[in-house]
Amino acid sequence: MKRSFAAVAGVVATAAIVLTGCSSGSEASDPDGPVTLTLSGWSLDTTPEFQAITDAFTEQNPDITFDLVGYDPVEYNTLLTADLAARSGPDIITQKEVKFVSTFQEGGQLLDVSDVELPEEVGGTSSYEIDGASYAVPYRQDSWVLFYNKDLFDAAGVEQPDGSWTWDDYEAAAAELTTADVKGAYLHTWQSTVQGFASAQSGADILEGDFGHFAPYYERVQAMEEEGSEVAFNTATANQLTYQGEFGTQKAAMLPMGTWYVATLIAQQESGEANDFEWGIAPIPQDDASTTGLDAEPVTFGDPTGFGINAGIDENKIDAAKAFLEFAASEDAAQVLAGIGITPALLNDSVVETYFSIDGAPTDELSTFAFAEHETLPENPTSSQTAAIQGILADMHSAILSGSTPIDAAIEEAEARVASEVGTE
């Protein structure tokens, strides 16, 4: 039985959260006094979730406050690893990428938090489990969906997505939507945009070292580039195109992207950075019709984001830190996150209602369905081998879409590299 740490809660009050650039997770605290926890994050000025969730927790627990430690988002794991090695890391370690969880755990830098009580509805918990123990708690769980511009569909006379689409339907619609000024779809340059769907929808495990399942997905991307219904990878790379710019300024009618983009698009339309148009989200197209329709569970991918505890934390802070992790996975926290357009790890009808009550959010039934109903499989399996394998697959992705290496040859090279440089489980 997992024990609850809610007993540390005090009288409800409001307390200030101090933003700071550095902190130490090893600073001693008075076991009978207030507790200040340091928590790592990135882009603090533009990523409101850290402030929102800590504010909400402190409101319920006024004796526990936070210093937010900001890191560069691109170098987050490198900088955090250096601080942990120097014993100056934060008390609460935000797990930005699942593929580094094993690295932190094997380095003895994460506390076992298996005794933190979690609601049954929380998704993504398995990504933080290693050898039967849990080393972090998910607080958000994004999934990849299909954003589409309803105005452009209507102008082109193309039928909008209805939840029944396969990738063939997506490719056909993109061709119909393409004009001299608009591409039918924009596929961002990340490897995730091809490999994440391929692995999830084929049921493949990249740790096995066999990558043939990627071939048909790359073949479709290349075909759409040749048809002109998608921007070519080389063009997007050379011009440093952003998915926000391509979809938000109506240069593309469709965009496969994670649910985090909902909040960004709403904010950009409000500020004028994005054009004013009606949009919605649909389930991501499926490999075949067996997982399509509003009575099915479409298969997509997405990794959770979670909070772990620094193994070097002052022992007088452990109960407070575990209480925060418990709160972060709760419905209370989910409501806070949903209220600012962040996809929480816990989803129920009430949380979904809060999410879509935000001004500017789509209100149609399909958007709600796409957001709430899906089987989300992890892009990154929890393993010490994942980071190295994903690095090799990133090279393969660039080689294929840049046109430097044929698909089959690039896959064979990636398989050979994994076998020789990493090994398989």
Side-chain angles (χ1 to χ4, degrees):
M1 177 71 69
K2 296 180 178 179
R3 68 184 177 95
S4 171
F5 293 89
V8 304
V11 180
V12 174
T14 302
I17 305 296
V18 181
L19 298 183
T20 183
C22 60
S23 184
S24 171
S26 61
E27 182 180 348
S29 64
D30 181 350
D32 300 317
V35 174
T36 296
L37 297 170
T38 51
L39 183 147
S40 64
W42 54 89
S43 304
L44 298 179
D45 291 339
T46 57
T47 308
E49 63 203 64
F50 304 114
Q51 188 77 63
I53 200 168
T54 52
D55 275 341
F57 178 77
T58 297
E59 186 175 356
Q60 296 184 13
N61 302 275
D63 287 338
I64 305 174
T65 56
F66 293 83
D67 286 345
L68 301 185
V69 185
Y71 291 90
D72 178 88
V74 177
E75 299 295 331
Y76 177 79
N77 290 294
T78 300
L79 297 172
L80 180 59
T81 298
D83 279 356
L84 290 171
R87 299 182 180 275
S88 61
D91 299 314
I92 307 294
I93 304 171
T94 304
Q95 299 298 313
K96 188 173 186 286
E97 297 178 79
V98 169
K99 63 186 177 183
F100 291 101
V101 172
S102 293
T103 301
F104 290 132
Q105 187 270 337
E106 291 179 1
Q109 295 161 328
L110 289 176
L111 197 69
D112 184 341
V113 294
S114 302
D115 54 350
V116 173
E117 185 175 310
L118 303 179
E120 291 183 1
E121 303 100 316
V122 174
T125 56
S126 62
S127 290
Y128 301 120
E129 295 174 357
I130 300 174
D131 296 331
S134 297
Y135 290 92
V137 167
Y139 71 91
R140 63 180 290 179
Q141 171 67 76
D142 289 290
S143 301
W144 282 65
V145 294
L146 181 66
F147 289 79
Y148 65 101
N149 184 319
K150 295 184 178 183
D151 291 350
L152 290 178
F153 269 80
D154 290 345
V158 178
E159 187 173 345
Q160 295 180 14
D162 60 3
S164 68
W165 279 17
T166 63
W167 288 109
D168 288 341
D169 297 314
Y170 167 83
E171 184 175 356
E176 289 186 75
L177 288 160
T178 298
T179 68
D181 300 317
V182 177
K183 294 292 187 183
Y186 177 73
L187 191 72
H188 199 44
T189 56
W190 300 330
Q191 68 191 94
S192 303
T193 60
V194 183
Q195 296 174 10
F197 298 121
S199 292
Q201 294 181 351
S202 68
D205 183 354
I206 63 170
L207 297 178
E208 294 179 356
D210 297 321
F211 306 131
H213 62 285
F214 292 138
Y217 286 78
Y218 279 108
E219 289 167 359
R220 178 177 53 254
V221 173
Q222 289 185 335
M224 292 180 69
E225 289 185 1
E226 291 173 4
E227 293 166 358
S229 58
E230 281 183 350
V231 174
F233 175 84
N234 286 337
T235 300
T237 302
N239 294 304
Q240 298 182 321
L241 299 183
T242 67
Y243 64 86
Q244 300 97 327
E246 294 303 294
F247 187 77
T249 60
Q250 297 182 278
K251 296 174 184 174
M254 295 186 290
L255 173 73
M257 189 50 58
T259 47
W260 63 78
Y261 182 48
V262 170
T264 301
L265 181 54
I266 291 172
Q268 290 183 336
Q269 285 192 318
E270 183 177 356
S271 70
E273 188 176 350
N275 294 352
D276 183 15
F277 59 89
E278 188 176 359
W279 55 276
I281 58 176
I284 203 70
Q286 299 293 291
D287 189 51
D288 60 55
S290 64
T291 50
T292 66
L294 299 184
D295 57 350
E297 190 175 38
V299 178
T300 187
F301 77 95
D303 286 338
T305 308
F307 293 125
I309 299 176
N310 188 339
I313 190 174
D314 172 11
E315 64 179 17
N316 292 326
K317 295 183 178 183
I318 290 177
D319 278 355
K322 289 185 175 181
F324 173 71
L325 264 62
E326 182 178 308
F327 172 81
S330 71
E331 181 171 354
D332 283 352
Q335 290 285 358
V336 169
L337 294 170
I340 58 172
I342 300 298
T343 309
L346 185 152
L347 285 181
N348 57 29
D349 290 344
S350 178
V351 173
V352 172
E353 182 178 356
T354 297
Y355 190 92
F356 284 97
S357 67
I358 301 171
D359 288 343
T363 57
D364 60 280
E365 180 182 356
L366 184 62
S367 292
T368 303
F369 174 83
F371 177 81
E373 302 295 334
H374 40 65
E375 180 182 9
T376 301
L377 299 177
E379 177 184 8
N380 292 284
T382 306
S383 167
S384 59
Q385 297 178 324
T386 298
I389 292 174
Q390 289 288 32
I392 292 170
L393 292 178
D395 292 341
M396 182 192 79
H397 177 76
S398 296
I400 291 172
L401 293 187
S402 69
S404 66
T405 310
I407 293 173
D408 290 343
I411 288 175
E412 289 177 6
E413 181 180 348
E415 290 174 343
R417 284 186 61 192
V418 168
S420 64
E421 299 173 23
V422 184
T424 56
E425 290 193 343

